[in-house]
Amino acid sequence: MCRPEKPITTSNSALRELQEWLRDQRDRTGQGYRALSVRAGCHATTLQRAASGETVPKLQTVLNYARACDASPDEARHLWKRARYEASRLARGGRSQPAPRPEFIRDFVDLGAALVDLYEKAGSPALRTMEQRAGGYGALPRSTAHRIVNKQAMPHNLPQFQAYLRACEVPEADWPRWETAWTRAWRHEKQDDFASLAPSASGRR
């Protein structure tokens, strides 16, 4: 017989959904946290906190919890990403305007906002993790990833942009839409650069 759970008090609706899912998985096993901790490979208190805490637990803790309950790791990861994304949004005080979808991206401002959104929807992974996911050596250095997620730079070529998409775990089926958006934003930027260099009408002879 499982002990009653602590009340869920978080204001993060996605975290609440994750915690409710974790509790459902534990109820299904009929085991307490001490028994689950043996299978999960972490302390019972860590598991209990994951299902009732105010902050988003570590991904590995959620995956360990799911494994101990013979639950879907893919579902666990999906719910965790949503909880992390919502936590990032709440930390900024909410966002008045959603990040533009690829087909509505026009310039670097739009693209920068969308790339940060992709990063946050991926669970705001560590820069080292992004570098590892991106592919081969130099595909997306940590310093470059840092500048992109802080809106200090744009991916400067298509392979680097693809590496960023890979690092944010964007499905390859969605890449063509994003690649078109990246091309459109760069074309707009180059047009602006050309316009700033062109002589004004009053300066012509």
Side-chain angles (χ1 to χ4, degrees), residues 6 11 27 85 94-95 112 118 141 155 175 182 189 203-204:
K6 294 181 179 180
S11 59
D27 288 345
Y85 178 70
R95 176 184 280 141
L118 285 180
W175 284 18
W182 176 86
E189 182 72 10
R204 291 174 184 166

Side-chain angles (χ1 to χ4, degrees), residues 58-101:
K58 293 180 179 179
L59 174 58
Q60 192 58 55
T61 298
V62 172
L63 293 176
N64 289 344
Y65 194 125
R67 185 182 69 247
C69 297
D70 291 323
S72 167
D74 291 338
E75 182 68 9
R77 187 185 296 271
H78 171 71
L79 292 170
W80 177 84
K81 283 183 179 180
R82 290 184 56 192
R84 281 276 287 179
Y85 178 70
E86 182 67 9
S88 298
R89 193 187 68 82
L90 291 172
R92 294 193 307 273
R95 176 184 280 141
S96 57
Q97 292 288 337
R101 299 203 303 268

Side-chain angles (χ1 to χ4, degrees), residues 9 13 22 26 37 45 56 62 83 89 95 111 122 134 136 141 161 179:
T9 59
S13 59
L22 291 173
R26 185 176 82 96
S37 69
T45 303
V56 181
V62 172
R89 193 187 68 82
R95 176 184 280 141
L111 183 60
F161 183 60
E179 290 165 357

